[in-house]
Amino acid sequence: MKFNTKTIHGGQKPEEATGAVMPPIFQTSTFAQSSPGKHKGYGYARGANPTRTALENSFAAIENGTNGFAFASGMAAIDCVLRLLKPGDEVIAGDDLYGGTYRMFTQLFQKYGLEFSYVDMNSVENVTNAITQKTKLIWIETPTNPLMKIADIQAISSAVKNINTAILIAVDNTFATPYLQKPLDLGADIVMHSATKYLGGHSDVIMGALIVKEEKLAKEIHFIQFAAGAIAGPMDSFLVLRGIKTLHIRMQRHCENGKLVAEFLENHPKVGTVYFPGLENHLGHKIAKKQMKDFGGMVSFKLKGESKEATFKFLENTKLFTLAESLGGIESLVNHPVTMSHASIPEQERLKIGITDSLVRLSVGIEDIEDLLADLEQALSL
């Protein structure tokens, strides 16, 4: 199946008992057994639930994996990946990370003996030069949150595996979605999503996802998911599965609108730097063009003069771009990383990579582009 068909039919079949086209919401915690240990594939819902199974099959299909896993949140999914490691192991991550990921690395797992180093993944050599005998995981975000940096997944995966095939490559594919890039096809071992975002697509659910190809790794992840228990519930699974069925048509409009918003901002007299991989002057444009189908709907920018007051005035006066956490929904959102999504990163670390008070992150929705541009223009003109 081609991708657009996979979003609707991938891993899916009519429900066996009734023939329901959409999987029912199996709102149950346990399942009857005909004899001790004998059941129809489902014993206790922490281990598996038919609605969650349908979603996990869809995850696997759209990422070209063999096994998908649905978690209670994106952070629960990342937590599961880190539980594959043991004290003394090292993780190499990009220097521009979602604030929640950085918080989990530094304030949780560092206490439990994991070691973390951060490099600019614009360069493959920065990654390979950081590898030591302790390195067990490479954590990649691309495009990054919020500076839209691009990492070459295939080049990094190949170079790392040439050094040590046992090192795992994990990619946070939240910004791109499998509509735009498929990390498993580029050499990654694990794909992670905050399914809260584009996969759900309607800002009405919190969920995380992991997808893998290798069976041994899948068994390890399933054990951690079952043992730790941070699973997605059946209602949330139903909502995200419904969201995936329109992912391809939503992403087309997100990409169209994102490009036009980035070009508008690039030519606006009050705007300084624009961070969008679809712009030819973006440092990672060529890599993004190679590994992504299009460039997505996430755009970040800074106002000229780097004034915090002017930035807050803009943020407080948009009408269609709602000032809120999160991203990837059908509606347009505006975010201030320093005080919102990346507030947990120490100021000196934020400033080191360019996350300043004047940085604004837009999640460009699927509204009429003329209305979105008019909203940005009126907020910038105040």
Side-chain angles (χ1 to χ4, degrees):
M1 283 185 273
K2 302 296 185 184
F3 183 82
N4 292 357
T5 307
K6 279 185 178 180
T7 61
I8 299 168
H9 299 286
Q12 305 303 298
K13 59 182 179 180
E15 195 268 329
E16 291 182 3
T18 65
V21 173
M22 278 298 289
I25 302 167
F26 285 87
Q27 198 70 50
T28 183
S29 61
T30 191
F31 302 83
Q33 303 189 17
S34 58
S35 183
K38 290 186 178 181
H39 49 70
K40 298 179 180 179
Y42 297 93
Y44 184 60
R46 175 159 39 82
N49 172 286
T51 315
R52 194 170 89 233
T53 297
L55 173 63
E56 291 176 334
N57 289 342
S58 178
F59 284 158
I62 62 176
E63 280 286 10
N64 292 343
T66 57
N67 296 84
F69 303 90
F71 292 84
S73 68
M75 299 315 302
I78 298 172
D79 174 87
C80 179
V81 174
L82 294 178
R83 287 173 189 261
L84 293 166
L85 309 179
K86 63 182 185 301
D89 289 346
E90 179 189 49
V91 178
I92 298 173
D95 61 356
D96 181 31
L97 285 177
Y98 166 55
T101 305
Y102 183 87
R103 179 176 56 233
M104 177 174 281
F105 286 1
T106 58
Q107 296 184 39
L108 281 181
F109 279 90
Q110 210 162 274
K111 292 195 304 185
Y112 303 140
L114 294 187
E115 299 177 13
F116 297 88
S117 59
Y118 304 91
V119 301
D120 184 348
M121 289 194 176
N122 280 330
S123 165
V124 176
E125 289 73 25
N126 288 345
V127 179
T128 55
N129 289 342
I131 291 174
T132 70
Q133 290 185 338
K134 294 181 177 181
T135 305
K136 295 295 186 292
L137 174 68
I138 309 295
W139 185 266
I140 301 171
E141 267 188 34
T142 183
T144 63
N145 181 3
L147 294 174
M148 307 300 294
K149 289 185 175 183
I150 301 296
D152 190 326
I153 300 169
Q154 189 168 40
I156 291 173
S157 298
S158 177
V160 170
K161 295 295 185 180
N162 281 339
I163 295 171
N164 185 347
T165 57
I167 297 175
L168 293 172
I169 312 289
V171 178
D172 182 338
N173 204 29
T174 299
F175 271 25
T177 82
Y179 177 78
L180 299 181
Q181 73 184 10
K182 295 182 178 63
L184 295 179
D185 291 350
L186 298 172
D189 299 293
I190 302 170
V191 177
M192 175 268 169
H193 286 275
S194 173
T196 307
K197 314 304 192 298
Y198 287 107
L199 297 189
H202 293 78
S203 301
D204 55 8
V205 65
I206 300 290
M207 188 183 291
L210 295 178
I211 304 97
V212 300
K213 275 187 175 180
E214 204 271 315
E215 196 61 36
K216 180 176 179 293
L217 185 57
K219 288 180 180 178
E220 291 181 55
I221 288 173
H222 181 261
F223 172 77
I224 295 169
Q225 183 191 46
F226 173 72
I231 57 163
M235 183 66 193
D236 289 349
S237 296
F238 176 86
L239 289 171
V240 173
L241 183 60
R242 183 176 67 170
I244 287 174
K245 291 181 183 295
T246 61
L247 175 65
H248 54 298
I249 54 174
R250 287 186 287 105
M251 287 307 298
Q252 289 170 22
R253 179 58 64 85
H254 283 300
C255 291
E256 292 168 6
N257 284 356
K259 181 174 185 291
L260 292 171
V261 164
E263 290 172 349
F264 166 83
L265 292 170
E266 189 179 36
N267 292 299
H268 198 283
K270 289 191 175 181
V271 174
T273 308
V274 178
Y275 304 90
F276 181 69
L279 298 175
E280 291 190 4
N281 60 6
H282 186 282
L283 184 61
H285 176 71
K286 288 184 179 178
I287 297 170
K289 194 173 182 180
K290 177 186 72 170
Q291 74 184 14
M292 298 172 69
K293 180 178 180 179
D294 207 328
F295 303 106
M298 297 301 300
V299 182
S300 296
F301 69 95
K302 291 179 179 178
L303 293 176
K304 283 182 179 175
E306 299 261 347
S307 165
K308 182 177 180 180
E309 291 72 23
T311 304
F312 272 46
K313 190 173 186 180
F314 168 81
L315 292 164
E316 291 164 356
N317 283 283
T318 55
K319 307 299 183 186
L320 290 179
F321 281 86
T322 303
L323 180 61
E325 299 274 5
S326 200
L327 59 102
I330 52 174
E331 68 290 313
S332 293
L333 301 177
V334 60
N335 171 282
H336 186 238
V338 166
T339 58
M340 298 168 74
S341 58
H342 291 68
S344 60
I345 299 178
E347 182 180 15
Q348 64 272 22
E349 296 300 322
R350 292 197 305 261
L351 293 175
K352 196 184 298 181
I353 60 171
I355 301 177
T356 62
D357 285 336
S358 69
L359 182 68
V360 173
R361 190 193 73 191
L362 301 177
S363 174
V364 182
I366 63 173
E367 301 95 336
D368 192 292
I369 187 60
E370 283 80 6
D371 292 329
L372 294 181
L373 296 183
D375 186 36
L376 292 173
E377 179 60 54
Q378 66 82 24
L380 286 166
S381 65
L382 295 174

